[in-house]
Amino acid sequence: QSDKEYVGFATLPNQVHRKSVKKGFDFTLLVAGESGLGKSTLVNSLFLTDLHKDRKLLNAEERINQTVEITKHTVDIEEKGVKLKLTIVDTPGFGDAVNNTECWKPITDYIDQQFEQYFRDESGLNRKNIQDNRVHCCLYFIPPFGHGLRPVDVQFMKALMEKVNVVPLISKADCLTPGEMKKMKDRVREETDKYGLKVYQFPDCDSDEDEEFKQQDRELKESTPFAVIGSNTVVEARGQRVRGRLYPWGIVEVENPSHCDFVKLRNMLIRTHMHDLKDITCDVHYENYRAQCIQQMTSKLTQDNRVESPIPILPLSTPDVETEKLIKMKDEELRRMQEMLQKMQQQMHEQDL
Amino acid sequence: MAATDVDVFSNEEKRSLSLGGHVGFDSLPHQLVSKSVTQGFCFNILCVGETGIGKSTLMNTLFNTMFENEEASHYQNGVYLRPRTYDLQESNVHLKLTIVDTVGFGDQINKEDSYRPIVDYIDTQFENYLQEELKIKRSLFNYHDTRIHICLYFISPTGHSLKSLDLVTMKKLDSKVNIIPIIAKADTISKSELHKFKIKIMSELVSNGVQIYQFPTDDEAVTEINSSMNAHLPFAVVGSIEEVKVGNKMVRARQYPWGVVQVENESHCDFVKLREMLIRVNMEDLREQTHARHYELYRRCKLEEMGFKDTDPDSQPFSLQETYEAKRKEFLSDLQRKEEEMRQMFVNKVKETEAELKEKERELHDKFEQLKRMHQEEKRKVEEKRRDLEEEMNAFNRRKVAAETLSLSQPLKKDKDKKN
């Protein structure tokens, strides 16, 4: 009986799973922050590879007038048959020069370029093999040495929040004691609200999830911004070999949740919310860009159309204050003359009587 | 006169004599010491570093006291210096300590001018001292010396190298003040990273020609310790005022989930070395260097700028007083000339304005005349019109009367006709 009623579309998730494994996934991650905050080390720790072999670090002298570069590293990694094409976009030079005015411009330009390229591809005739290079997530590294967000942090996040999912991180978290860490996180959250910065928000979990999952979700949301530590070295701690940092006073374990939020970040970024980040990039940021683009194009078209019409029209640009004043004065004079004329006519009429 | 006296002394042969008994002038150093103790000492520290890097905490830790300090905000428009003076006492030694903080350093997006307020402050202190020295009635022994004796430059523990701002700032400061670079918040760097970091920093400083303070190695008593300390620069420090129980003692430390960083443990950080060098061994040398080297350099540059020289073209020694007098006369005559010029200009301007006013007055008068004439013309016309109108009215009235009388006789006839 149940066999007859069983239609079979409950297997859809499995079909989706199969197809996606066959197709493979891609993810683009942008890391930004000043030199020396552990960005490369963290990326290595997250994806358990060494992406930055043989890189050359600049001296202080060379960095005085440094401009921001954009570098891309793409790797193909595979786990249990699932293939991931991971692209890490690095921003060497950000915030390193003495004058950092608008140092985020190369980054916003890069993001816009990827949107533009996708927009063109999407509008093209042959859409079979579109390459999606849009940036899905931006990890922004906040230095732990200060009292919270600095002006350059605020400006950067303001410039990028409408274009990409921004995930702020407190870097080198082994610099802060638990009390100081709490103060720092509270500060950053306060300042994020104060300056109206829109960072990536975790979607609320469904109300039919079990209590444990909801609890985890709450904990995750309460511990933002994540305080992270990265390491390229493996040390021996508590009888195990773990990624960590060896100090004379103890060993910091990267994957120990009581030491730092690395595990939370990894879970969020890779294990649970990677697809959500991609969705928001496609559905929100890209759509915003696309709508803006189209609006600009159509307003330009209508402008051009108007110029060609035979009817003389006022110039579209607002006249400057001077000419406006003159026009007003002349109008006034005209009106007065008309009134006087009327009066005189009336008088003449009366006199004729 | 003094110059010739000294010459006489150095040309004479100096003879060493041996004493027949104990005279007692071996107590001179003690007399000097007791005099300076009664006078009290003064020491001025400048802390340069980004907001939140640990400047105030380190000062508290070094001097084992709580200097009052509000947390600075990251959103200052520029860099400004905040000096605070405290009176400290240890045993019977009084210390007037001034700590100068750089508020807002490193926070601006454009840091090109960040070094300027610091350099200006240091120069101002030198200038004040110079003014006191040049006074006629001066009291140098009573003068509160605010010249900066030591600049602690706090380097951010990135683990790579100096920041570009650090390099630019230290280059501007190295000829004006003794600089000791220190690595702040050093509990975030592991031992091997620290070793590489220190080497990189020192090599960057050397290759860019930045002169940092070297602990003196010419005094045998401290040669050994100083030269070994020189090798540990820059000091990697950790500051803390909180105490943690380690073993059975309370020590100043920072408590982490993975361990306790003890401030005074030499294998954890270089705090003890810094305290030793800065306060216990070389404080007096720092004061001397500031006065004998940095201040003298400033003074020489300043006076040369003003046009003073030690010897004139004929190699005869110039007296400061004579040069000063000559300069003063020059300046006064300059001043007089300028005054004359300005007075001339003023008189000319007044004449011009007067002429203009006269011209305008004449114009107004002409206009008035013109208007008056127009008015009279108008009045005449209106009069004419009025007369015309009156005439018309009169004519009309006559016609009216005529018509009325006519009409009066008419209706009688009509009535008669009607009745008929």
Side-chain angles (χ1 to χ4, degrees), chain A residues 37-265:
Chain A
L37 291 179
K39 301 186 293 292
S40 319
T41 312
L42 185 75
V43 170
N44 286 348
S45 308
L46 272 175
F47 295 100
L48 295 176
T49 64
D50 195 356
L51 286 168
H52 293 98
K53 283 202 190 67
D54 319 317
R55 63 173 179 155
K56 186 179 174 302
L57 294 168
L58 293 181
N59 292 331
E61 198 188 351
E62 292 161 337
R63 284 192 265 156
I64 293 178
N65 290 315
Q66 192 180 21
T67 50
V68 180
E69 281 174 33
I70 307 279
T71 60
K72 254 168 56 161
H73 298 277
T74 307
V75 285
D76 283 315
I77 42 185
E78 184 181 324
E79 194 177 55
K80 294 204 187 131
V82 178
K83 298 203 236 325
L84 175 67
K85 181 164 93 90
L86 176 70
T87 308
I88 307 284
V89 182
D90 205 352
T91 55
F94 176 81
D96 284 342
V98 176
N99 184 353
N100 291 313
T101 314
E102 296 222 324
C103 58
W104 50 84
K105 200 148 183 325
I107 303 175
T108 49
D109 286 346
Y110 176 81
I111 297 176
D112 281 341
Q113 271 167 26
Q114 307 315 306
F115 279 157
E116 195 187 314
Q117 190 213 325
Y118 192 82
F119 182 42
R120 263 190 269 139
D121 287 346
E122 199 186 47
S123 324
L125 293 171
N126 186 353
R127 309 202 296 182
K128 203 149 188 241
N129 288 320
I130 306 183
Q131 274 241 349
D132 186 5
N133 288 325
R134 296 172 294 182
V135 179
H136 298 121
C137 177
C138 168
L139 295 179
Y140 184 68
F141 287 69
I142 301 171
F145 311 125
H147 295 311
L149 294 177
R150 301 162 306 158
V152 69
D153 303 328
V154 173
Q155 296 287 341
F156 176 85
M157 290 207 263
K158 268 211 172 108
L160 260 76
M161 63 191 190
E162 304 282 357
K163 296 184 189 282
V164 73
N165 301 314
V166 176
V167 177
L169 302 173
I170 300 178
S171 55
K172 295 207 166 175
D174 54 355
C175 167
L176 297 169
T177 61
E180 290 167 350
M181 180 60 74
K182 184 167 183 316
K183 239 175 51 172
M184 180 71 148
K185 284 190 180 183
D186 288 341
R187 258 289 182 62
V188 173
R189 272 202 292 259
E190 219 179 271
E191 288 174 341
T192 307
D193 283 335
K194 180 170 156 196
Y195 294 105
L197 304 173
K198 292 198 273 230
V199 298
Y200 174 69
Q201 301 290 336
F202 298 104
D204 290 322
C205 55
D206 301 321
S207 49
D208 56 351
E209 298 279 357
D210 58 43
E211 204 35 58
E212 195 192 320
F213 190 80
K214 279 202 213 157
Q215 172 70 8
Q216 275 183 6
D217 189 60
R218 256 200 305 268
E219 277 176 18
L220 204 69
K221 289 197 181 134
E222 277 166 17
S223 52
T224 51
F226 294 137
V228 292
I229 301 173
S231 171
N232 286 328
T233 52
V234 177
V235 294
E236 176 111 10
R238 295 179 289 142
Q240 293 178 321
R241 293 185 64 73
V242 289
R243 273 202 180 225
R245 289 174 63 73
L246 180 64
Y247 289 113
W249 49 86
I251 300 180
V252 181
E253 298 164 46
V254 168
E255 296 188 18
N256 186 334
S258 58
H259 288 188
C260 70
D261 298 328
F262 174 82
V263 175
K264 292 199 179 85
L265 173 69

Side-chain angles (χ1 to χ4, degrees), chain B residues 250-384:
Chain B
M250 294 294 279
V251 289
R252 285 183 296 174
R254 286 172 64 76
Q255 173 122 55
Y256 289 107
W258 49 85
V260 178
V261 182
Q262 296 160 41
V263 167
E264 283 168 306
N265 185 333
E266 291 211 50
S267 61
H268 286 190
C269 71
D270 298 330
F271 173 80
V272 172
K273 297 192 177 74
L274 175 68
R275 184 178 59 192
E276 195 72 21
M277 286 292 98
L278 183 63
I279 302 180
R280 296 183 185 177
V281 177
N282 295 308
M283 210 184 220
E284 187 54 35
D285 182 70
L286 285 165
R287 281 152 44 100
E288 224 181 272
Q289 289 282 335
T290 308
H291 182 71
R293 200 148 61 93
H294 299 292
Y295 171 69
E296 286 301 315
L297 181 64
Y298 174 83
R299 182 176 171 278
R300 202 179 70 202
C301 291
K302 200 70 202 295
L303 293 179
E304 272 176 1
E305 230 179 88
M306 295 208 288
F308 292 111
K309 284 189 277 286
D310 271 341
T311 56
D312 72 359
D314 300 329
S315 293
Q316 288 289 42
F318 254 173
S319 143
L320 196 66
Q321 283 308 105
E322 286 173 17
T323 334
Y324 188 65
E325 269 307 307
K327 283 244 152 231
R328 194 153 177 276
K329 280 210 194 90
E330 216 187 291
F331 181 67
L332 281 174
S333 61
D334 229 2
L335 204 69
Q336 265 187 336
R337 203 169 37 83
K338 280 218 167 91
E339 248 188 80
E340 269 308 307
E341 270 180 42
M342 291 197 82
R343 204 171 297 152
Q344 265 314 99
M345 238 174 44
F346 181 68
V347 168
N348 285 349
K349 266 234 145 98
V350 167
K351 281 209 191 110
E352 265 180 45
T353 332
E354 257 186 38
E356 265 184 47
L357 279 171
K358 277 216 167 74
E359 178 71 30
K360 282 257 154 74
E361 210 183 309
R362 208 172 42 78
E363 273 181 33
L364 269 170
H365 202 70
D366 285 340
K367 236 188 174 166
F368 179 64
E369 289 294 315
Q370 203 189 28
L371 278 172
K372 200 158 139 193
R373 264 175 298 177
M374 271 173 61
H375 178 79
Q376 283 186 341
E377 187 64 35
E378 287 277 332
K379 197 164 161 194
R380 202 176 48 79
K381 283 201 192 134
V382 168
E383 272 300 314
E384 261 189 50

Side-chain angles (χ1 to χ4, degrees), chain B residues 225-244:
Chain B
I225 185 170
N226 275 348
S227 45
S228 85
M229 290 300 182
N230 274 329
H232 279 104
L233 284 173
F235 292 134
V237 291
V238 174
S240 174
I241 33 183
E242 279 146 17
E243 297 201 333
V244 174

Side-chain angles (χ1 to χ4, degrees), chain B residues 91-324:
Chain B
S91 313
N92 57 344
V93 178
H94 288 268
L95 180 66
K96 212 187 192 79
L97 179 71
T98 302
I99 301 182
V100 187
D101 215 347
T102 51
V103 179
F105 188 76
D107 280 331
Q108 297 77 31
I109 295 185
N110 184 352
K111 297 174 269 208
E112 281 177 346
D113 287 330
S114 293
Y115 71 88
R116 220 179 280 274
I118 307 176
V119 169
D120 287 344
Y121 180 86
I122 298 176
D123 279 344
T124 312
Q125 309 317 307
F126 282 155
E127 183 63 32
N128 292 345
Y129 193 85
L130 184 63
Q131 290 300 326
E132 183 66 29
E133 237 190 7
L134 290 177
K135 269 197 197 152
I136 299 173
K137 232 179 164 204
R138 61 188 195 181
S139 54
L140 279 175
F141 62 90
N142 238 341
Y143 179 73
H144 177 207
D145 186 4
T146 54
R147 297 173 296 179
I148 301 290
H149 299 123
I150 174 73
C151 167
L152 290 175
Y153 196 94
F154 288 68
I155 298 173
S156 211
T158 58
H160 291 324
S161 66
L162 286 174
K163 290 196 182 172
S164 50
L165 176 65
D166 298 339
L167 198 58
V168 165
T169 310
M170 281 204 262
K171 261 223 88 86
K172 292 276 182 207
L173 292 178
D174 68 350
S175 57
K176 293 190 179 286
V177 71
N178 303 314
I179 302 182
I180 295 185
I182 55 182
I183 301 174
K185 301 207 169 177
D187 53 355
T188 194
I189 316 184
S190 67
K191 255 206 161 64
S192 51
E193 291 167 351
L194 187 63
H195 189 64
K196 276 196 282 185
F197 191 36
K198 283 191 181 186
I199 294 180
K200 184 80 175 106
I201 292 178
M202 293 311 279
S203 80
E204 278 194 327
L205 290 175
V206 164
S207 64
N208 284 290
V210 176
Q211 301 228 357
I212 56 173
Y213 176 71
Q214 296 290 325
F215 303 118
T217 47
D218 47 4
D219 178 3
E220 319 128 3
V222 291
T223 264
E224 214 186 288
I225 185 170
N226 275 348
S227 45
S228 85
M229 290 300 182
N230 274 329
H232 279 104
L233 284 173
F235 292 134
V237 291
V238 174
S240 174
I241 33 183
E242 279 146 17
E243 297 201 333
V244 174
K245 199 171 174 84
V246 171
N248 50 4
K249 291 200 300 173
M250 294 294 279
V251 289
R252 285 183 296 174
R254 286 172 64 76
Q255 173 122 55
Y256 289 107
W258 49 85
V260 178
V261 182
Q262 296 160 41
V263 167
E264 283 168 306
N265 185 333
E266 291 211 50
S267 61
H268 286 190
C269 71
D270 298 330
F271 173 80
V272 172
K273 297 192 177 74
L274 175 68
R275 184 178 59 192
E276 195 72 21
M277 286 292 98
L278 183 63
I279 302 180
R280 296 183 185 177
V281 177
N282 295 308
M283 210 184 220
E284 187 54 35
D285 182 70
L286 285 165
R287 281 152 44 100
E288 224 181 272
Q289 289 282 335
T290 308
H291 182 71
R293 200 148 61 93
H294 299 292
Y295 171 69
E296 286 301 315
L297 181 64
Y298 174 83
R299 182 176 171 278
R300 202 179 70 202
C301 291
K302 200 70 202 295
L303 293 179
E304 272 176 1
E305 230 179 88
M306 295 208 288
F308 292 111
K309 284 189 277 286
D310 271 341
T311 56
D312 72 359
D314 300 329
S315 293
Q316 288 289 42
F318 254 173
S319 143
L320 196 66
Q321 283 308 105
E322 286 173 17
T323 334
Y324 188 65

